[in-house]
Amino acid sequence: MHLQRVHAPSAPAQVLDTETLRLSPLLADGESGGRGAPEEREGHTASIVRGEIYIFGGTWTDDENVTLYMNDLHVLNTARGVWRRPVTTGTLPIEREGHSASVVGNLIYYFAVRKMNMRTNHHSSRPPGCALMNIARSRSNRR
């Protein structure tokens, strides 16, 4: 099977139908007038919990080669095609890219590969760490 590289700036996210092997743009709305969908990025993780995709972290580089490291969380409800930005509690993991994530039940474990010193925007010499997000449904998250 050969997949062609498609340049589609208006559709940065795509969906592959694994039965037909057809690629199509991801058409998903953000809640409250478009909020919730993640900005384009790389080096992030995508974890699946109960049919929802959790996008965390990554980087974005502008046209002047300035890189922004992120620690935001976005959730795609695949059944409804709607993005949201959930309200989390506790201490957010630091900004990161190139990390990994593992799902165990309602928990997503984030393992840092690179830590950033946000004062200097350079990789820190501190050893990598692990962060944990509990994705238990609260009343405000049920949809």
Side-chain angles (χ1 to χ4, degrees):
M1 179 180 82
H2 178 339
L3 287 179
Q4 293 181 343
R5 176 164 277 202
V6 177
H7 297 283
S10 62
Q14 300 218 341
V15 177
L16 173 65
D17 182 322
T18 58
E19 291 183 13
T20 65
L21 299 178
R22 178 184 166 94
L23 280 167
S24 58
L26 171 63
L27 301 175
D29 295 323
E31 63 182 11
S32 303
R35 292 186 318 219
E39 297 81 10
E40 66 180 77
R41 62 191 60 212
E42 62 185 24
H44 59 280
T45 55
S47 304
I48 300 170
V49 178
R50 291 185 306 272
E52 294 186 311
I53 301 173
Y54 289 75
I55 303 291
F56 176 75
T59 59
W60 176 78
T61 303
D62 67 14
D63 293 335
E64 295 167 2
N65 215 26
V66 175
T67 300
L68 172 67
Y69 290 83
M70 298 181 244
N71 68 342
D72 53 346
L73 179 66
H74 301 265
V75 180
L76 174 63
N77 180 311
T78 58
R80 293 180 47 225
V82 175
W83 286 102
R84 63 185 168 88
R85 293 278 316 262
V87 176
T88 59
T89 60
T91 304
L92 274 177
I94 63 166
E95 294 84 355
R96 58 187 69 198
E97 69 156 341
H99 56 287
S100 64
S102 296
V103 175
V104 179
N106 288 333
L107 303 176
I108 302 175
Y109 292 83
Y110 293 104
F111 299 92
V113 174
R114 299 180 183 166
K115 286 190 170 189
M116 294 303 298
N117 180 329
M118 297 316 290
R119 229 179 49 247
T120 63
N121 204 29
H122 290 92
H123 297 292
S124 170
S125 60
R126 294 182 302 169
C130 173
L132 172 67
M133 240 180 239
N134 185 348
I135 311 300
R137 286 193 186 249
S138 67
R139 288 186 184 137
S140 61
N141 279 347
R142 286 193 184 139
R143 295 192 181 229

